[in-house]
Amino acid sequence: MGYRVINGKLHFAPDLGAVCNKKNNVKNHISDSTRQVSFKDTLSSEIDKNSSFTISNHAAERLKSRNINLNESDMKNINSAINKAEGKGCRESALVYKNAVLITSIKNRTVITAMDKNEENQNVFTNIDSLVIV
């Protein structure tokens, strides 16, 4: 499991049910294939996509081991960069932010890994179709 950033605030993924005010394990006798999705649910899920992203466990470990600290303002700036990259049609991007480079899946809105941009031993990035300077 990873971490989810919603409106700049970091949440542990299993705790999202409490954060999003969702009911836990409500049994519904209607099968999933016949369940109707309301416009309100669809709209709120699309709005949430633009205001949140995920930090993978791997990226969280890299941020911690490399002593890269991100505050709420930083998270909002990173989310804004993901939104811009998504608007340009990017799929996999390197986000350069302050002293860090965040390799990000724009399609999945997930930070895959993080590194200090001053690291000299790892300066080749592969499978990246864009670079965003935040």
Side-chain angles (χ1 to χ4, degrees), residues 10-28:
L10 188 67
H11 303 280
F12 187 60
D15 297 336
L16 285 178
V19 171
C20 298
N21 296 325
K22 293 182 180 177
K23 295 179 183 175
N24 293 332
N25 297 327
V26 176
K27 299 290 181 187
N28 193 347

Side-chain angles (χ1 to χ4, degrees), residues 30 41 64 98 106 110 128:
I30 302 172
D41 292 339
K64 184 177 179 181
K98 292 184 179 178
I106 303 300
T110 302
I128 300 298

Side-chain angles (χ1 to χ4, degrees), residues 28-36:
N28 193 347
H29 297 290
I30 302 172
S31 69
D32 289 337
S33 62
T34 60
R35 186 173 170 224
Q36 300 273 334

Side-chain angles (χ1 to χ4, degrees), residues 6 10 27 32 36 38 64 69 87 92 95 101 119 132:
I6 302 172
L10 188 67
K27 299 290 181 187
D32 289 337
Q36 300 273 334
S38 71
K64 184 177 179 181
N69 299 312
E92 302 288 329
L95 306 179
V101 178
E119 286 184 34
V132 179

